[in-house]
């Protein structure tokens, strides 16, 4: 079984609808992240969480919200979806950083289309 | 401003034709530089972490190197299964947690 799972894998929705993307992990990592990927722009951080009680905004959090239900679960919500939120969304996890680095491990992604 | 730039955007090689991908970065206090491989429809897969200038790491046909301003991913005698997008990311050591990704290089290897 995959260490980081995302549901759904694909979703088509309409403008104004509320959407929730879910992420679960079995790696036992404390840190979880949500990114979106757009062609030519690379991965951009939406929100991140260092533990269940810690939620932080990333560089593009407007229009999104998150919930950390447990150490292993981190959900991303679009309260009122708009077409420019059409993108590939990735969840990632990491263990607390060593002195040197904090390697992130990614889920398979959710392709979201907003019509 | 912290920034990561990858070049070229796309690279087409014949099987066995060695080449290099470039990742140029500007960051306040480099903590680590990462290389990931991403196949179509999948999440990025971790390849390497480099911590300081002069460091090198190898994995099969891939070799990553690091200087104070850039990193190279050298691909020796590539095979079609090496076709993927290669992502570079840097993690800053100042201002708390921050990881910045480049846009990636799409590699196509033709048999």
């Amino acid at each position: 079984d995959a260490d980081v799972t995302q549901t759904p894998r694909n979703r088509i929705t309409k403008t104004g609808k509320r959407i929730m993307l879910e992420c679960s992990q079995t790696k036992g990592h404390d840190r979880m992240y949500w990114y979106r990927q757009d062609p030519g722009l690379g991965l951009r951080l939406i929100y991140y969480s260092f533990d269940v009680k810690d939620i932080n905004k990333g560089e593009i959090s407007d229009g999104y919200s998150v919930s950390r239900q447990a150490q292993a679960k981190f959900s991303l919500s679009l309260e009122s979806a708009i077409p420019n939120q059409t993108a590939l969304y990735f969840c990632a996890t990491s263990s607390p950083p060593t002195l040197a680095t904090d390697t992130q491990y990614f889920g398979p992604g959710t392709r979201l289309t907003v019509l | 401003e912290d920034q990561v730039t990858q070049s070229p955007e796309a690279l087409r090689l014949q099987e066995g034709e060695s080449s290099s991908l470039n990742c140029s970065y500007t960051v306040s206090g480099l903590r680590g530089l990462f290389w990931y491989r991403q196949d179509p429809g999948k999440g990025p897969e971790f390849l390497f972490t480099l911590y300081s200038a002069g460091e090198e790491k190898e994995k099969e046909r891939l070799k990553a190197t690091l200087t104070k301003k850039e990193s190279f991913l050298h691909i020796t005698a590539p095979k079609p299964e090496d076709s993927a997008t290669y992502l570079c990311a840097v993690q800053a050591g100042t201002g708390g947690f921050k990881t910045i990704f480049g846009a990636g290089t799409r590699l196509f290897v033709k048999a």
Side-chain angles (χ1 to χ4, degrees):
Chain A
D1 289 339
D3 294 322
V4 183
T5 58
Q6 293 183 233
T7 55
R9 294 294 315 279
N10 289 282
R11 182 70 184 269
I12 300 174
T13 191
K14 295 181 178 180
T15 298
K17 294 291 186 180
R18 185 179 188 276
I19 296 295
M20 179 179 285
L21 309 182
E22 298 185 333
C23 176
S24 296
Q25 54 113 347
T26 58
K27 297 183 76 67
H29 289 171
D30 288 327
R31 299 186 172 197
M32 298 187 74
Y33 313 81
W34 276 104
Y35 289 90
R36 67 176 278 175
Q37 188 176 41
D38 299 276
L41 293 180
L43 287 157
R44 292 182 291 166
L45 184 63
I46 306 171
Y47 271 95
Y48 61 101
S49 170
F50 284 178
D51 63 41
V52 175
K53 297 181 180 180
D54 176 76
I55 302 290
N56 303 280
K57 292 182 177 181
E59 63 178 298
I60 55 164
S61 60
D62 288 348
Y64 302 94
S65 62
V66 291
S67 173
R68 184 81 183 267
Q69 300 95 325
Q71 185 206 34
K73 296 184 181 296
F74 193 35
S75 300
L76 176 72
S77 293
L78 287 67
E79 298 302 325
S80 180
I82 56 177
N84 75 1
Q85 292 177 313
T86 293
L88 198 52
Y89 290 83
F90 288 102
C91 174
T93 73
S94 68
S95 59
T98 65
L99 291 176
T101 190
D102 184 14
T103 302
Q104 296 178 26
Y105 298 89
F106 288 82
T110 294
R111 184 170 296 281
L112 177 65
T113 302
V114 183
L115 301 176
Chain B
E1 179 183 353
D2 297 339
Q3 194 169 0
V4 177
T5 302
Q6 292 189 245
S7 62
E9 290 186 12
L11 180 62
R12 297 180 183 275
L13 300 173
Q14 289 291 129
E15 184 173 5
E17 180 186 2
S18 301
S19 188
S20 297
L21 282 54
N22 178 263
C23 172
S24 298
Y25 65 90
T26 54
V27 65
S28 302
L30 180 69
R31 193 177 206 188
L33 183 142
F34 306 88
W35 282 99
Y36 287 85
R37 170 190 170 128
Q38 185 176 19
D39 293 299
K42 296 187 177 182
E45 177 185 349
F46 171 72
L47 292 173
F48 304 110
T49 306
L50 301 169
Y51 301 113
S52 58
E55 187 174 4
E56 299 181 351
K57 289 194 175 177
E58 292 187 63
K59 180 179 180 180
E60 296 180 354
R61 295 176 292 281
L62 301 176
K63 179 180 178 180
T65 62
L66 181 64
T67 72
K68 289 185 178 181
K69 294 183 178 181
E70 58 191 350
S71 177
F72 291 94
L73 185 65
H74 306 278
I75 303 176
T76 302
K79 298 181 178 181
E81 53 262 42
D82 294 322
S83 297
T85 296
Y86 291 86
L87 302 174
C88 172
V90 298
Q91 197 166 77
T94 58
F97 161 80
K98 188 176 183 181
T99 301
I100 303 165
F101 283 83
T105 293
R106 288 174 295 151
L107 175 65
F108 304 93
V109 182
K110 186 176 180 181

